[in-house]
Amino acid sequence: FVAEFCVPGVEGDLWFELDVSRTALGGAVARHRLLDQAPSQRELERRIHQVRMSATDMAGVGGWSLDIRTGEIEWTEEVYRIHEVELGAKISVAQAIEFYAPEARDAVRDAIAHSIETGEAWDLVLPFDTAKGRRLWVRAMGRVQFVDGVPVYLYGAFQDVTERHEEARRQKVNEQRLEMVIDGSRDGDRKSVV
């Protein structure tokens, strides 16, 4: 069985989780761990987190979180959709980074490490390959959450920006072509004057 209990303290209550299970030989093993917050506070934060994740999906922006201590990743439906991965599939941190194009993976790793070290957020637009092999451009944003000065969670947003990226690329090409035409017409004007 699993139970949570409180030990009152001078500087505030401490909450523990106790997990007791049977061994193969009929004995019992008890494990305990200190919880970050009281159960009601954790439940409230979980509900708020679910509402935020749902809202981002509706806006076409996925949400994600990573428990640094356990390596457990949580994605919204939109993040699964962008990755073209079955909803609910368990993905490790290493697997998640492998979706980025090879030339972008170090940028992701560096951004995460820098955030954990400094507390600064990141906002990157990078090439990305889905599980079905489609090349996309994604915007990956994230930040770290500290508890008592220790980095505990990473969380952020994830968005397919392929259309926007391609439109910006086409715009740049058109601007370069226009500039070449204008430069060419100026050269022609000078030649006719000389």
Side-chain angles (χ1 to χ4, degrees):
F1 76 93
V2 177
E4 293 178 345
F5 61 95
C6 177
V7 176
V10 176
E11 295 182 21
D13 297 340
L14 295 175
W15 283 89
F16 290 88
E17 178 182 81
L18 177 64
D19 182 355
V20 180
S21 56
R22 293 253 178 233
T23 66
L25 299 175
V29 175
R31 294 179 192 89
H32 71 279
R33 68 181 178 102
L34 178 63
L35 300 174
D36 295 332
Q37 301 156 335
S40 59
Q41 180 66 26
R42 284 196 317 278
E43 179 61 21
L44 176 62
E45 288 185 4
R46 187 188 66 73
R47 287 183 187 157
I48 290 169
H49 177 72
Q50 285 178 329
V51 168
R52 285 183 182 153
M53 298 289 243
S54 296
T56 59
D57 279 356
M58 287 185 260
V61 178
W64 60 269
S65 66
L66 166 67
D67 185 327
I68 296 171
R69 299 165 299 184
T70 65
E72 184 177 336
I73 295 176
E74 184 178 340
W75 285 353
T76 64
E77 288 182 31
E78 182 68 8
V79 175
Y80 280 104
R81 188 193 65 71
I82 293 168
H83 281 76
E84 295 183 330
V85 171
E86 183 180 331
L87 185 65
K90 294 294 180 192
I91 305 292
S92 69
V93 174
Q95 290 169 322
I97 291 173
E98 288 295 313
F99 282 99
Y100 289 92
E103 65 273 19
R105 293 174 189 157
D106 283 343
V108 174
R109 288 184 194 104
D110 292 347
I112 291 170
H114 181 75
S115 184
I116 290 171
E117 183 179 315
T118 66
E120 293 177 20
W122 72 88
D123 187 344
L124 304 170
V125 174
L126 299 167
F128 182 88
D129 297 318
T130 72
K132 295 182 179 177
R134 289 189 319 124
R135 172 59 58 101
L136 303 176
W137 284 84
V138 296
R139 182 176 183 196
M141 297 165 279
R143 64 182 37 203
V144 65
Q145 179 182 352
F146 291 88
V147 174
D148 297 326
V150 176
V152 177
Y153 297 102
L154 293 173
Y155 63 95
F158 192 76
Q159 183 179 23
D160 178 354
V161 294
T162 305
E163 209 171 289
R164 191 178 319 156
H165 184 271
E166 289 303 311
E167 180 58 36
R169 187 190 60 75
R170 285 190 294 274
Q171 179 72 26
K172 186 175 182 177
V173 167
N174 288 339
E175 287 171 2
Q176 289 171 339
R177 287 180 182 159
L178 180 59
E179 195 171 305
M180 287 172 39
V181 168
I182 291 170
D183 287 347
S185 70
R186 286 185 190 144
D187 289 345
D189 287 345
R190 286 190 204 117
K191 289 178 185 172
S192 62
V193 172
V194 175

